[in-house]
Each structure stands twice: as C-alpha cells, then as structure tokens.
Amino acid sequence: MRRFADHHGTTHWWPYLTAPAAARLAPLYPDDRALHLEDDALIPLPGTGIDDYISSLPSQRRVGVRRERRDFASAALDVRRQVLAACFEDAGVLLAGHQQDHGHDRDGIDAMTGLLKRQATAMGSEARVVAAYEEHRMIGFCLYYHYGTTTWIRAVALDRRHPAPHLYFNLMYYLPIEDAYAHGTTALHAGMTTIEAKRRRGAEVSGLYALVDRHPAGPSPRRG
C-alpha cells in the first residue's frame, strides 16, 4: 500500500475495520492509533423462525414488535418479494427521495435508478427486494443480500407522502428477517445508522475503525 501511495505521491488509509482487523493491522502502523468511525449493528436470528427471534427479545420489546407487525398487517398493503431487476425503476424513485431528504441533492432519480439497475444487472437473482404497494404504487422497499450466514441490508426507502403504520420497521427489520429465516441465514446486518433503534430490536453493536498512514509519501515519478 505504501509503495502504491508513494508512486502516486499520496498516502493511504483503511476505513471501516472491525476491531479484530484493526488489531491485526496495528503493528504495521505503530505511530497511528485506530480511529473510531461508527458503530455497526448485527441482529442475531436464533431458532428457525421469526417467532423465535421475537421470543429472544426482552418482554417489553416483544410486546412492541408484535404490535408493530400487527398494525402494519392491518393496513392491508400488497407486500411483494421480488428480484431487484423487476422493480429497480420504482425503487430508484423512492431512493432518490430518501437521499434528497437527507441532503444528498446530487442523488436524483436518474442517478439512483442507474445505481440500482447496475446492481440488478450484476447481482441477478441475488439482489432481493421486499416492497409494499398501495394498489399499483410502490410506497416502500428494502434491498438486501443473503451472503454466507448473514442477510445484509443494502437500502431502505419510503414514500413519506403515503404513510402506513410502522412501514419502516417492517421493511427494515421484520420482513427481511422472515426472508432470512426462509433462506437459512442466522443474522441480519442492519448497518451503521440509528443504532439505538437497532439495539432495541436485539442488535449486537460493535465498533468500526480506521487506520490512517502518516508515512510521508515519496516524490511522484517523473513521466517522460
């Protein structure tokens, strides 16, 4: 890495390392302490079905999760499980709105639709979506991947103009958890944001770290 950085007249860093990975790399960077970047959430999925997951939660949380699932079901939305290739255009519209709500003005519909189309093309049937529809209109979706023993959440977005009871929690957690059990994975990787909400739904939280190399870069090679 240093040779590559020297060649380009720059330095390098390792972002989003787990604690074990940071510890293994640390001896190579004795002058640089690992920096804590974010916390990461992983929800264990014990047993063989979502009732086992719910039973693993504290009693107060079990009541809350059952209520959120029951209220969502009462909305009588059309829940569809499909490959991303079948719905990337609708999902791209929702994802663009989500990104712009969070201040990412450059992530418009064309950009987000293009991003999801590339994922759909590259990943094929591995790019799974669970989506909620009100009649023919998609009002929310979750994109995820089953890999190894884990189901990995990749993107979640809602149409906030069409609210439904606990739509986000069902798309982010409970519907992907159902699919995770059906697929045979044993954990749901829920990512780095809204950590406390994930902790309340059984997540184990661990730190992610960065190592920054402060080794001075050599001069860029002369080009003839």
Side-chain angles (χ1 to χ4, degrees), residues 78-177:
D78 181 12
V79 175
R80 304 179 194 174
R81 292 171 171 85
Q82 55 200 316
V83 295
L84 179 60
C87 61
F88 70 87
E89 292 178 315
D90 289 340
V93 173
L94 294 184
L95 187 57
H98 173 84
Q99 291 294 93
Q100 291 174 351
D101 285 345
H102 288 78
H104 304 290
D105 293 335
R106 294 184 180 180
D107 295 339
I109 292 175
D110 289 346
M112 293 298 96
T113 301
L115 171 69
L116 295 180
K117 183 179 181 180
R118 291 192 296 274
Q119 285 194 50
T121 300
M123 301 305 294
S125 62
E126 298 299 314
R128 304 298 307 176
V129 167
V130 60
Y133 288 80
E134 193 172 64
E135 296 182 350
H136 299 295
R137 183 186 182 90
M138 181 190 284
I139 64 169
F141 81 95
C142 176
L143 167 65
Y144 53 90
Y145 294 90
H146 304 299
Y147 181 74
T149 60
T150 302
T151 295
W152 304 79
I153 301 295
R154 180 66 186 88
V156 179
L158 314 176
D159 184 347
R160 299 188 184 278
R161 297 170 299 173
H162 291 74
H166 308 297
L167 176 61
Y168 175 80
F169 296 137
N170 280 269
L171 287 173
M172 177 69 194
Y173 304 108
Y174 313 137
L175 293 170
I177 283 173

